[in-house]
Amino acid sequence: LLTTALILLASCSKSEKTKQNVEREAIQFKELTCKKSDIPIEIKYKGNIEHCMKWIDINGENYFLLSVEDKSHQESNDDEWFETTANLYWHGYHFCNNQTEKFKLVREFVDYVENCGFDLMFEFMKDYFKLTDLDSNNIAEITVIYKMTCASDVSPWDIKLLMFEDGHKFAIKGTTKEDYGNEQFGGGDKKIDNSFRTAPKEFLEYAETMFERAANIK
């Protein structure tokens, strides 16, 4: 069973112009190095950290964390064979540390596979975990792509692209194309969420390119 839960919390930015906001607007978008040991102890998250991103933009100091939580368990049957039921959860967190609130949770997403009795495979695609400012508004966009499958054979994986900007989410979902020898088989479908209709055109152009490359759609 593949399903998704997404939680919208709040924008990091403020609607009213204040002296502090004007001063912050002079700050230029800049990506910073992020390691697990860099994450402040005030930031709370579930699971084990896979990747993290850190940057500064007009909203202040930002962190985006990707973590995996494994809740798989084993059960024995009457023949004393052990059966493993796989339950895997993955999380994304955007925290912002600005002038008015310290390490505010701007956005959280949760996705999971539950009760998988086959091979459960999941991957945050590190090469597509990117930070951009495509619309040049000095507010960063974060792109996350991950794929997962619960199967007993070689078959297409479910794949999702999520893009975030200032608490807003944009998504593309579909399946991967799998190579078999010199040919491709199965999958390759793509569904663009309606959220992209209100996004700058640069967002969708970038997202489609990244999605098709990650999904092996040629």
Side-chain angles (χ1 to χ4, degrees):
L1 173 64
L2 303 182
T3 186
T4 305
L6 289 157
I7 304 168
L8 175 61
L9 294 175
S11 169
C12 187
S13 58
K14 302 295 180 181
S15 58
E16 296 181 0
K17 286 279 187 177
T18 65
K19 181 178 178 181
Q20 288 180 334
N21 285 344
V22 172
E23 290 174 349
R24 284 166 50 226
E25 287 178 359
I27 298 174
Q28 294 299 308
F29 163 69
K30 182 180 180 182
E31 184 175 356
L32 305 171
T33 301
C34 184
K35 298 178 293 185
K36 183 177 179 179
S37 57
D38 296 328
I39 301 171
I41 59 174
E42 295 91 342
I43 289 180
K44 306 301 180 185
Y45 56 87
K46 294 181 179 179
N48 296 314
I49 294 295
E50 293 275 319
H51 309 294
C52 69
M53 195 83 74
K54 180 181 178 182
W55 72 95
I56 293 175
D57 60 17
I58 66 172
N59 289 327
E61 181 185 41
N62 297 265
Y63 290 84
F64 200 100
L65 314 179
L66 297 175
S67 67
V68 176
E69 187 178 14
D70 191 344
K71 293 186 177 181
S72 302
H73 61 275
Q74 287 187 327
E75 296 179 352
S76 61
N77 59 25
D78 294 337
D79 297 325
E80 296 185 353
W81 288 90
F82 285 93
E83 297 181 353
T84 299
T85 300
N87 299 285
L88 198 64
Y89 298 75
W90 41 100
H91 306 266
Y93 302 92
H94 177 193
F95 290 91
C96 180
N97 186 20
N98 60 26
Q99 297 285 345
T100 59
E101 189 170 349
K102 192 171 184 179
F103 301 119
K104 177 180 181 179
L105 182 56
V106 180
R107 184 87 196 202
E108 176 184 0
F109 79 83
V110 183
D111 204 347
Y112 51 89
V113 175
E114 292 182 321
N115 300 320
C116 176
F118 300 107
D119 294 325
L120 197 168
M121 294 177 285
F122 167 81
E123 180 186 355
F124 275 128
M125 304 184 74
K126 183 179 180 180
D127 291 343
Y128 298 93
F129 185 33
K130 298 291 186 181
L131 203 60
T132 55
D133 185 14
L134 300 171
D135 54 352
S136 301
N137 65 349
N138 216 5
I139 300 175
E141 308 98 29
I142 309 95
T143 300
V144 179
I145 301 181
Y146 57 93
K147 59 182 184 177
M148 66 278 196
T149 183
C150 174
S152 59
D153 58 2
V154 178
S155 57
W157 294 37
D158 289 329
I159 185 168
K160 299 182 182 182
L161 175 147
L162 302 178
M163 179 182 282
F164 303 93
E165 187 197 47
D166 203 22
H168 302 287
K169 177 188 71 72
F170 313 93
I172 300 178
K173 302 176 183 180
T175 54
T176 62
K177 276 280 189 182
E178 297 300 318
D179 292 324
Y180 187 78
N182 295 324
E183 298 181 357
Q184 289 187 319
F185 69 94
D189 59 298
K190 176 179 64 176
K191 182 179 180 180
I192 300 171
D193 191 82
N194 289 335
S195 55
F196 273 107
R197 292 182 179 179
T198 59
K201 62 180 180 62
E202 295 90 351
F203 285 19
L204 182 55
E205 291 172 356
Y206 176 83
E208 282 196 284
T209 298
M210 294 297 102
F211 181 88
E212 292 178 2
R213 187 178 300 169
N216 199 29
I217 300 174
K218 299 178 181 178

